[in-house]
Amino acid sequence: MPVTTAQRRAHYDDFVHQVITLCAVKGIRADLNSGFGRPVAECSRMPEHLTRHIAGFGARRAHYTVASLIALHRDLPHEEGPYQPEQPFPGKDQDAATAPAANTAPASDPSGSAAAAAAASTAERPWRRRPDLGTHLAVAVARYGFKEATMTNRVKTLTRLDTSLLHPRLWTLTGHLNSRGAARLDFAVLLEDLAWWDDDQLEIAARWRENYFLTLRTLTSKEQ
C-alpha cells in the first residue's frame, strides 16, 4: 500500500534524526560526508549506514545528499528528540506558502517509535509553514551578512538546475553557509523537495523563490 503524505513526511523527519545520531560517531560522519552531492553509485562509503533508514521510500539520491549535508556540521546536537532547524520568525509560524500538489510514492508504511515521534512533531508544525531552502537563504542574508545580490543570483540559478547539477551545488552552498553558522536548515523539508524535484521542479522552484523574496522583505523591514 502506498504511503500517505503524512507518513512520508514523518519518515523525512525520522531520517534526519537518525543521520544526526549517526554523525555523533566521527568515522561514520566522515563516511557520510564523502558523498559530496554525488550520484548514489559513487558513494561507496554510505550504503552501510543509510540503506536501512531509506528502505521502502525511494529517492535514494535525495536521501544521500541530505545525509552528506548534515554530515558537514560538527556541532548539531545529538539530542533524543526531533531536530529543530533555525526558525526565521521565532515564536510563530512563517506565512504558509503554496504547497506542491500531493504525490503518492511507491513505498511501505514507516514503523517504530522514532517515526511516530517525528509524525507528532510534524503535526505540531504545519509542513508548509516550516522553512524551505528559499527561506533559509533569505535568513542568511538578513542575519548572517551574506550579500543580497549574490544570494539572489544563487537562488535564481539553483531553481533552474536539474538534479544532476543541483545536488553538487547544494553541497557547496551548505558548506558556504556553514562557514558563518547559517546552515541550520530544515533538512526534512529539503529532503522532500529533492525527492520530488524531478516531478515538480517548476512548482518547488517557484516556492523557493517566493519564500526567499517574501522572507527577505519581512526580515529586512524588521531591521529598519
Side-chain angles (χ1 to χ4, degrees):
M1 179 184 296
V3 298
T4 66
T5 297
Q7 289 169 330
R8 281 192 294 103
R9 290 172 173 173
H11 160 73
Y12 297 143
D13 272 320
D14 185 52
F15 178 78
V16 170
H17 175 70
Q18 295 299 333
V19 172
I20 291 174
T21 300
L22 288 171
C23 286
V25 179
K26 185 176 180 180
I28 295 178
R29 186 169 68 82
D31 286 345
L32 298 182
N33 199 14
S34 70
F36 296 102
R38 296 170 175 167
V40 173
E42 298 178 12
C43 301
S44 60
R45 295 165 59 184
M46 301 177 75
E48 66 177 295
H49 307 300
L50 298 182
T51 299
R52 68 189 179 92
H53 299 298
I54 299 174
F57 285 92
R60 287 191 301 158
R61 185 166 188 182
H63 285 82
Y64 275 48
T65 292
V66 168
S68 71
L69 298 183
I70 293 172
L72 280 172
H73 294 262
R74 297 178 181 274
D75 57 353
L76 290 182
H78 307 289
E79 70 272 8
E80 286 296 325
Y83 163 73
Q84 296 295 323
E86 179 174 12
Q87 296 298 319
F89 310 111
K92 68 175 184 177
D93 291 323
Q94 71 182 85
D95 292 336
T98 301
N103 289 287
T104 302
S108 58
D109 289 354
S111 61
S113 59
S121 173
T122 301
E124 293 169 2
R125 296 175 294 155
W127 191 268
R128 281 289 163 246
R129 296 190 181 185
R130 292 168 59 170
D132 62 12
L133 186 64
T135 302
H136 283 296
L137 295 184
V139 170
V141 173
R143 293 183 183 160
Y144 295 93
F146 287 87
K147 293 183 179 179
E148 180 178 344
T150 301
M151 191 64 77
T152 298
N153 286 334
R154 279 181 181 270
V155 171
K156 292 178 180 179
T157 298
L158 288 172
T159 53
R160 292 196 299 264
L161 300 177
D162 63 20
T163 292
S164 64
L165 296 176
L166 175 63
H167 286 234
R169 292 287 189 95
L170 288 177
W171 196 89
T172 303
L173 173 61
T174 303
H176 185 45
L177 295 174
N178 200 28
S179 69
R180 300 190 192 178
R184 195 172 169 88
L185 309 178
D186 193 320
F187 293 108
V189 171
L190 179 60
L191 175 53
E192 179 181 61
D193 287 345
L194 295 182
W196 292 102
W197 191 259
D198 289 338
D199 299 291
D200 290 319
Q201 178 178 347
L202 292 179
E203 195 158 4
I204 296 168
R207 171 165 46 78
W208 284 8
R209 290 191 296 268
E210 290 170 2
N211 282 348
Y212 171 77
F213 289 113
L214 286 172
T215 304
L216 185 61
R217 183 183 65 182
T218 301
L219 292 178
T220 301
S221 65
K222 287 177 179 286
E223 295 296 324
Q224 293 176 347

